[in-house]
Amino acid sequence: MTEQSPADPAPAATETAGRAFAALFRAIKVVRPVRPIHPDGVGLVGELIRGGTPAEGSGLDWLDSPGRDTVEARFSRSVGLPQAFPDILGLGLRVRTTGGEGLPGAASDVLFATTGWSFPARFLLVPRLDVAAATLTTLMPYRGRLGPVLLGLKTEQLPDGRGSNTGRKTKADGSFQESLATGDWVLGLYYAKPSGQWIRAGELRLRAATEPADTALRFNPLTNPLADGGTYPWTRRLRESSYQAAQRPAPASAKAAAPAPARAAAQASQRMNATVSANPSGRKTMSTVSRLFNSPADVVWKVIADGWLYSGWVVGASRIRAVDAHWPEADSRLHHSVGAWPLVINDSTRVAAVEPGRSLELVARGWPLGEAKVVITLEDLGTQCRVTIAEDAIRGPGKMVPKVLRDPLIAVRNRETLSRLELMAAGGAGS
């Protein structure tokens, strides 16, 4: 019997494991036909600055030589759990080195996921919630000229300018993703032998890409490998079938049912505006309730425009913790708590669109329960006004409740919300 090379252990076992992973991904694609894992993410752009490595280096010529590469990336949560829970965080990079005469060179894909940092934890996937403290590695080694080598990333600076060593946690949620539009996320790039010490080799700087918010890129380090970083046969057997299963194009009907995030957001906004503005009394795609107030529209708007009053009229909001100074302008937030003490959830509500005095479109978050789109419109009737609230779940467990059941529940709550709002307006709140 021929002894197996250390670089290629147990072919039958790795082949079987690879087929098992592929079968798992095919099963998940039944309910997630487009992206079975890492379903939602944010597209990023930036650059990778290679400082060069001392002495023998990593054994990857690309990494050992100084230079700057352009990068397209995607940051995502692997399982797609509610954002209040830890998840395996993923960062896919498409690195383009500079070719001759300054032209873009070949594209290479490098995939990172949250793991431990020390040996052997660097070979174990670890769910994380705090981006600042998370460590990401390639999990499987590259085949360099000096033997196997892992790549790793550690946050050094967050988009708000804070270093990662301040002790403050930064959740890998929608707020972090939105912060990527305000500054650079800076990560140190490291390499290590499988059980060796990590050595810093460069810096990765990322920021949010322009529209769309997510990217359609599909990363595959097997078809887009590093120019001088080969893969071992056993790692290819583990991954190849899985990638093929996960990235197999979804049927056209599935794509229509699950469009790209940016297109979905635009379509959802259009549907909501059409429902509430153009035809509030016609066919409703959202749960919609209206009430005639014996107060003018400008008086009611003053209550709505004061974020500190929301816990007084929004059913379910138990307290307001902070309100952006420019509320209710677009993209401003109020930070609220939902529930009764001690079972209180802290989250936020963001203004998606506003027409002062007439309408306010909100994205209300309350994870782990989910997110909802809420549209409030005011119809000026002189000394009176008609106030309409249209709402529906857009993400999370609430979305899984059949619409025929969730619409009546939303309507009951919003009728009480309108009643409270009318009383506060009549009493002069917000003046």
Side-chain angles (χ1 to χ4, degrees):
M1 182 179 291
T2 303
E3 183 179 357
Q4 291 298 331
S5 164
D8 190 17
T14 52
E15 181 75 26
T16 300
R19 289 177 179 175
F21 288 135
L24 175 63
F25 289 157
R26 283 193 292 270
I28 299 174
K29 279 181 77 72
V30 173
V31 293
R32 286 183 183 167
V34 180
R35 291 185 187 265
I37 60 173
H38 300 279
D40 300 307
V42 57
L44 307 170
V45 294
E47 65 175 350
L48 192 153
I49 305 165
R50 293 174 278 112
T53 58
E56 288 185 334
S58 68
L60 301 175
D61 291 338
W62 162 77
L63 188 62
D64 294 340
S65 59
R68 289 176 177 260
D69 306 320
T70 58
V71 173
E72 295 177 85
R74 184 177 191 262
F75 176 68
S76 57
R77 295 165 58 89
S78 176
V79 182
L81 296 173
Q83 295 184 359
F85 294 97
D87 203 336
I88 297 166
L89 308 181
L91 185 62
L93 305 182
R94 177 155 296 173
V95 182
R96 291 189 181 276
T97 56
T98 302
E101 299 182 357
L103 298 175
S108 301
D109 290 349
V110 187
L111 298 182
F112 294 89
T114 46
T115 69
W117 196 244
S118 60
F119 177 83
R122 62 184 61 167
F123 295 104
L124 299 174
L125 293 170
V126 178
R128 293 287 189 182
L129 187 58
D130 182 9
V131 176
T135 55
L136 301 95
T137 74
T138 51
L139 192 64
M140 296 186 185
Y142 283 96
R143 189 174 191 170
R145 68 176 186 279
L146 302 177
V149 58
L150 289 167
L151 302 182
L153 294 170
K154 292 181 77 172
T155 295
E156 296 181 348
Q157 181 178 305
L158 295 161
D160 61 6
R162 273 191 299 121
S164 62
N165 58 354
T166 61
R168 287 175 53 192
K169 292 185 177 181
T170 300
K171 292 184 178 181
D173 58 9
S175 298
F176 171 71
Q177 295 182 9
E178 290 175 4
S179 74
L180 290 164
T182 66
D184 284 357
W185 180 20
V186 183
L187 303 102
L189 175 65
Y190 294 77
Y191 73 89
K193 301 300 181 183
S195 60
Q197 184 177 9
W198 289 102
I199 299 172
R200 195 178 187 281
E203 178 180 280
L204 176 64
R205 304 184 72 92
L206 298 172
R207 60 190 174 278
T210 54
E211 295 295 336
D214 201 353
T215 175
L217 284 179
R218 307 302 291 268
F219 302 91
N220 191 327
L222 301 182
T223 56
N224 298 311
L226 290 174
D228 56 349
T231 56
Y232 289 99
W234 65 270
T235 64
R236 179 173 287 273
R237 284 194 296 271
L238 276 174
R239 303 165 89 174
E240 191 165 32
S241 297
S242 301
Y243 288 164
Q244 290 175 353
Q247 298 184 0
R248 182 175 291 113
S253 58
K255 291 181 179 178
R263 188 166 65 252
Q267 291 172 347
S269 179
Q270 290 170 0
R271 286 195 300 269
M272 291 166 191
N273 288 340
T275 298
V276 178
S277 303
N279 189 19
S281 60
R283 180 179 177 273
K284 303 175 181 65
T285 60
M286 302 170 72
S287 173
T288 306
V289 295
S290 295
R291 187 182 182 98
L292 182 65
F293 285 21
N294 289 317
S295 298
D298 62 331
V299 172
V300 179
W301 182 257
K302 288 178 181 178
V303 181
I304 294 173
D306 189 337
W308 289 103
L309 297 178
Y310 271 57
S311 60
W313 60 276
V314 175
V315 174
S318 56
R319 65 186 178 192
I320 302 299
R321 296 175 289 113
V323 179
D324 286 358
H326 54 296
W327 177 273
E329 295 178 11
D331 291 326
S332 62
R333 291 176 180 271
L334 61 80
H335 304 268
H336 54 69
S337 300
V338 177
W341 185 89
L343 302 177
V344 174
I345 299 171
N346 292 331
D347 219 315
S348 63
T349 289
R350 176 177 62 85
V351 176
V354 61
E355 188 174 352
R358 297 187 63 182
S359 66
L360 185 65
E361 185 176 327
L362 306 170
V363 176
R365 295 165 48 88
W367 286 100
L369 301 178
E371 298 181 17
K373 181 78 76 173
V374 183
V375 182
I376 306 171
T377 57
L378 281 68
E379 181 184 358
D380 188 1
L381 301 173
T383 60
Q384 296 178 312
C385 71
R386 183 174 298 279
V387 183
T388 301
I389 299 181
E391 180 180 348
D392 202 1
I394 56 173
R395 292 188 66 189
K399 182 72 171 175
M400 299 171 65
V401 177
K403 189 170 177 61
V404 68
L405 297 179
R406 72 173 184 260
D407 276 3
L409 296 174
I410 294 172
V412 169
R413 190 184 74 247
N414 283 341
R415 287 192 187 98
E416 174 62 20
T417 291
L418 287 176
S419 178
R420 296 182 186 186
L421 178 60
E422 182 181 19
L423 291 171
M424 292 184 70
S431 298

